[in-house]
Amino acid sequence: AQSVAQPEDQVNVAEGNPLTVKCTYSVSGNPYLFWYVQYPNRGLQFLLKYITGDNLVKGSYGFEAEFNKSQTSFHLKKPSALVSDSALYYCAVSPKSGGSYIPTFGRGTSLIVHP
Amino acid sequence: KAGVTQTPRYLIKTRGQQVTLSCSPISGHRSVSWYQQTPGQGLQFLFEYFSETQRNKGNFPGRFSGRQFSNSRSEMNVSTLELGDSALYLCASSSTPSGTGAVGNTIYFGEGSWLTVV
């Protein structure tokens, strides 16, 4: 069975500093990996995804994520955090083949960017 | 183009009642999936429909059901509501159904329906 771990419930960073939100996964075979963001009282918004190819994926709002197969990780990064980036971030994984695609989501990480 | 639309956005029900939530997917999307989001359990998959057929079902009791219409709109129903059913119910749509992972199927979420059971 596939699983996603977001080891930090909360990440605090000062505005202007780089940020990293961690995600590790477990899946049979090669994965598709996704990041979503959820602002208060809103649904989830798609940020970026890894399908194949370049391990560094660039997404919306200046975010990027690096796929590391050996470490089974897909950490979300941004060079310079904004206060408006404060939100809940979800990592999700699904297998590339075999059985149901249904993505598995992590528990989420609350990102707080301080002015 | 319009995103995923969910109605109602907020509702309060009493234990034992039933509720029906509606979801209109992005135009052209034929796959609709439903998730329950709670502080304790996070995001949990309920079920997925494609072309009016349920393709996948999560680990929820039979009180939770859904359906999809020919225009791809979907409804989910929860009968005999319990306090623990209080949650944000999210609908998501995609252009291709699950199992076609070759394109790394991206799902797009609606704003959700907040259900409070009292």
Side-chain angles (χ1 to χ4, degrees):
Chain A
Q2 62 213 43
S3 64
V4 175
Q6 293 182 242
E8 301 155 317
D9 290 336
Q10 184 171 301
V11 169
N12 291 276
V13 64
E15 188 173 32
N17 283 0
L19 69 87
T20 299
V21 183
K22 296 179 180 178
C23 171
T24 59
Y25 66 90
S26 173
V27 69
S28 298
N30 294 313
Y32 291 119
L33 294 155
F34 304 82
W35 276 101
Y36 287 83
V37 60
Q38 185 177 33
Y39 297 100
N41 301 317
R42 306 293 296 276
L44 277 69
Q45 296 179 31
F46 170 73
L47 271 181
L48 52 80
K49 68 182 177 185
Y50 170 79
I51 300 176
T52 189
D54 194 348
N55 289 343
L56 185 64
V57 180
K58 294 188 183 296
S60 306
Y61 312 121
F63 284 93
E64 58 188 27
E66 186 166 13
F67 170 60
N68 187 318
K69 187 173 183 177
S70 62
Q71 297 185 4
T72 61
S73 67
F74 189 56
H75 301 330
L76 182 70
K77 300 181 180 183
K78 187 173 182 180
S80 179
L82 299 173
V83 172
S84 58
D85 293 330
S86 299
L88 195 55
Y89 290 81
Y90 286 94
C91 180
V93 66
S94 67
K96 280 190 177 179
S97 62
S100 168
Y101 152 84
I102 302 302
T104 298
F105 285 81
R107 295 297 300 267
T109 298
S110 177
L111 172 66
I112 300 175
V113 181
H114 302 278
Chain B
K1 60 186 177 184
V4 179
T5 304
Q6 293 188 244
T7 56
R9 288 294 317 279
Y10 304 93
L11 66 166
I12 300 174
K13 291 287 188 178
T14 304
R15 273 182 301 175
Q17 288 187 313
Q18 73 167 15
V19 66
T20 299
L21 308 177
S22 179
C23 172
S24 293
I26 291 172
S27 179
H29 284 191
R30 295 165 60 195
S31 175
V32 173
S33 51
W34 288 89
Y35 291 80
Q36 182 195 65
Q37 186 180 28
T38 59
Q41 300 296 322
L43 269 168
Q44 292 187 288
F45 170 76
L46 279 157
F47 28 65
E48 182 204 15
Y49 288 86
F50 182 80
S51 294
E52 303 177 65
T53 301
Q54 186 180 87
R55 289 177 57 90
N56 292 283
K57 190 176 191 303
N59 190 25
F60 277 81
R63 299 185 296 107
F64 292 81
S65 63
R67 59 178 176 170
Q68 187 179 34
F69 303 95
S70 58
N71 62 357
S72 295
R73 190 177 70 85
S74 177
E75 290 181 346
M76 69 161 282
N77 183 77
V78 187
S79 62
T80 319
L81 283 166
E82 302 176 357
L83 295 179
D85 297 332
S86 296
L88 176 64
Y89 289 88
L90 292 165
C91 170
S93 78
S94 59
S95 57
T96 54
S98 63
T100 57
V103 293
N105 198 23
T106 300
I107 58 175
Y108 297 90
F109 286 85
E111 298 289 348
S113 292
W114 286 95
L115 171 64
T116 301
V117 182
V118 297

